[in-house]
Amino acid sequence: MELKIDRESLLKPLQLIIGVVERRQTLPILGNVLIKAEGNQLSMTATDLEIEMVSHMDLEQPANGETTLPARKFIDICKALPDGANVTLKIDGEKGTIRSGKSRFTLSTLPASEFPNLDSFRSNLEFKIPQNQLKFLIDQTSFAMAQQDVRYYLNGLLFEFSGNLIRAVATDGHRLALCDVEAEINAPETMQIIVPRKAVTELSRLLDNSDEPVTVQLGTNHIRLATSKMSFISKLIDGRFPDYQRVVPQGGDKIVLANRSELRQALNRASILSNEKYRSVRFMLAPGLVRVLAHNPEQEEAEEEIEVDYSGTNLEIGFNASYVLDALGSLTGDQVQLELTDQNSCCLIRAPESEACRYVVMPMRL
Amino acid sequence: MSGRLPWHQAQWRIVDDALRQGRAAHALLLAGPVGIGKQVFAQQLAQRLLCQQAAADVATGGEACGQCRTCLLFQAGAHPDYRFVGIAEDKKSIAVDQVRELGRYLTLTPQYGLGKVVIIDPADAMNVNAANSLLKTLEEPVAGVTIVLLSHRPAQLPATIRSRCQLIRFNAATAEQAGPWLLAEGVKDAAEAALLMSLSAGAPLKALAIKSDNSLQLRDTLWQTLETLAEGRGDAVAAAHQLAGLDKTGGILPLLDWFSSGLLDILKLKAAPQMPFIANEDLLERLHKLALGIPVQRLLSLQDAVRKAAGSVERNLNPQLILEDVLIQWQNSFVVPRPRQSA
């Protein structure tokens, strides 16, 4: 196999996938990148067994063949070559030779058959969606995912597909974030998948705010996202997500309408003097007024008053300030609506005009 | 190594039957002496479970094909749905972090959809915390996961681990079962095969190892030294110094093993001199001679001492001191006619 490419068109797709290659691999082959040429198409694949990324590019001179090269060394060489250099990659037996101008590098290869990439993908559901919508779903919810929880199914983001609705749900058992997006997916039945934390973080980084469509494919064991330049495949978490519907409170009768940034700033200030570990703050609801109180073990106290639109009865309730702040920070718009029932029930936080993003925060007993 | 080992037939029957009837256990504990081929069995089982070909005709059972993509990946050691958990380099036990990482790995879906296989070897090397954190995974693994634990000392495992696994026991192989295999692996003739099997107490892989390393030489040096000491000549401390330096890699455990197997033989010879079913068959004459000079009581306490010495090695005691201890006891056990010292 012999490939002739200019440095830039080789470097860009390599940089796209190099993030997946871990510096310390359990298996030597995971440090390599799979290079596969088929006619005018060149694809490069990197995997850490959890996430697999493939980037595609066009070849000017057709070639056929496949091999694997040490990923870091390969990209370092490409980076170090001068701008606009022409690169010739030749694979001969167990050696791969890179030539450019007067430079010559010989890299060791490993057979492509030993590369553990996913060769066939059977999808149960396939649809296209603008990138920014998918990114919105992830960014609105991913902060609520659990970290290294023994309930392993919480260490990821739930995607639920039903009809023409995509819903993302994340929870760590103390708070929950839920976000809906309408898209033409035509799901024949409700499908749920849990995408692991690592893949969610990586996706949020990869997707941008353009409305360029991305193809999403759901398999039994994997999710695959593809654009014209690359594809991203992740394993799923093999578990059942808890029934989140039961957690979202229905019909809270104490409805508080507040200015979002005002509430957020007040809460931010008050939380400075809250208990550093539990971050507990006390909300005192009275008609037209919310008082936020915080104190710490050193008996220091903070008190904030916010004018709100509220006409219900008095209520005193405690929350973890960070959870409320996370929710307030994710929402957009001027106003925010808090729906409460009593001291021991969850609080629902959402924008007054839309139900697309909802946040549930458990109260604290103070 | 290809092909199932001939003395594993009974164990394969258990596993194959279970697979065919779709009631394969999710956790297996392979227990048997060192060198019986538990690792080979576990590897073959793992490859068989992950083989696309074997999964296609599960009804017929059969071995991994060795040709399909997953088999090639497995043979290259790069199968994404297979994990091996062992003692990390320069460590003495399997740490809790390794088990936690394993738990995380097992919650992800398999790459090729045929389930996942994990081998933990040696399972008894898990420390208490590691074993405890494995319990949850072991009890209710995600569907399609098979966890295979290997141990030559299953009694060292916590009962909570043992009770969560299906036990598959590997008993000593007979010379008939392993003889042809040993010959194929390069053993000279049937007589040598029989001797090696007897020396390894029915563990064919250990038998091969005895043949290939300088183990027999080590044994001869040991018994020469022991004979000299038994005759009342030589100095136990000097002998210990010389013996301790013999095996640079294995330490003194191989020596103690040979010592203990010889002691057992002497005991047998004392109990039934007419029926010499002993391991060190080739040393029969010499052991006979030694047997005459030592009382049974002392033999028994020597055996105890050697067993304790092996334990001391694991607790990192100075090897030479350990050897000195047993050698002095050995020397003192013999009733040597010494010139009487007048008071």
Side-chain angles (χ1 to χ4, degrees), chain A residues 103-167:
Chain A
S103 317
R104 188 171 154 273
F105 308 88
T106 312
L107 291 172
S108 59
T109 66
L110 284 170
S113 62
E114 289 177 14
F115 195 83
N117 64 324
L118 200 67
D119 37 15
S120 61
F121 190 94
R122 261 209 9 250
S123 71
N124 303 331
L125 181 67
E126 184 176 337
F127 59 88
K128 275 187 165 51
I129 180 173
Q131 282 197 33
N132 52 3
Q133 287 206 31
L134 203 57
K135 188 174 166 62
F136 176 75
L137 268 176
I138 291 174
D139 290 349
Q140 291 295 307
T141 50
S142 56
F143 64 86
M145 287 187 294
Q147 291 197 38
Q148 299 185 340
D149 200 300
V150 280
R151 295 161 293 179
Y152 57 89
Y153 41 82
L154 298 185
N155 301 328
L157 186 60
L158 172 82
F159 283 96
E160 189 180 90
F161 307 89
S162 56
N164 277 329
L165 190 77
I166 309 177
R167 171 174 286 173

Side-chain angles (χ1 to χ4, degrees), chain A residues 305-326:
Chain A
E305 268 187 23
I306 311 127
E307 280 179 30
V308 295
D309 185 354
Y310 175 63
S311 52
T313 52
N314 287 6
L315 177 70
E316 196 181 323
I317 187 167
F319 288 113
N320 181 323
S322 346
Y323 294 162
V324 181
L325 280 170
D326 278 343

Side-chain angles (χ1 to χ4, degrees), chain A residues 171-229:
Chain A
T171 179
D172 60 5
H174 301 291
R175 37 85 179 263
L176 177 144
L178 180 155
C179 185
D180 290 338
V181 157
E182 298 263 348
E184 271 197 37
I185 53 173
N186 295 318
E189 53 183 344
T190 306
M191 286 178 67
Q192 287 193 337
I193 56 162
I194 310 174
V195 180
R197 190 181 177 86
K198 191 172 173 187
V200 173
T201 324
E202 192 70 18
L203 268 182
S204 161
R205 207 173 57 82
L206 280 173
L207 298 169
D208 54 37
N209 281 320
S210 70
D211 54 4
E212 195 193 327
V214 47
T215 309
V216 181
Q217 288 175 301
L218 305 180
T220 325
N221 295 321
H222 299 85
I223 180 170
R224 180 162 183 261
L225 285 89
T227 63
S228 54
K229 284 196 224 81

Side-chain angles (χ1 to χ4, degrees), chain B residues 195-255:
Chain B
L195 172 64
L196 287 172
M197 282 302 284
S198 153
L199 284 175
S200 65
L205 298 187
K206 190 173 169 191
L208 265 192
I210 291 173
K211 178 177 176 290
S212 59
D213 59 27
N214 63 353
S215 200
L216 281 179
Q217 211 184 329
L218 193 72
R219 183 188 64 151
D220 284 344
T221 321
L222 173 74
W223 283 105
Q224 264 166 27
T225 315
L226 289 174
E227 276 165 349
T228 324
L229 289 173
E231 285 161 20
R233 296 180 291 122
D235 171 22
V237 176
H241 179 70
Q242 183 227 341
L243 285 176
L246 276 182
D247 194 342
K248 292 276 182 278
T249 48
I252 60 164
L253 270 181
L255 272 175

Side-chain angles (χ1 to χ4, degrees), chain A residues 27 49-50 113-119 152 221-222 235-238, chain B residues 69 73 76-78 80-81 104 107-113 142-143:
Chain A
L27 302 171
L49 295 185
E50 192 173 327
S113 62
E114 289 177 14
F115 195 83
N117 64 324
L118 200 67
D119 37 15
Y152 57 89
N221 295 321
H222 299 85
K235 288 187 178 180
L236 305 175
I237 291 180
D238 204 351
Chain B
R69 172 151 165 76
L73 275 173
D81 296 333
R104 208 189 66 83
T107 61
L108 294 174
T109 47
Q111 178 102 334
Y112 294 109
V142 175

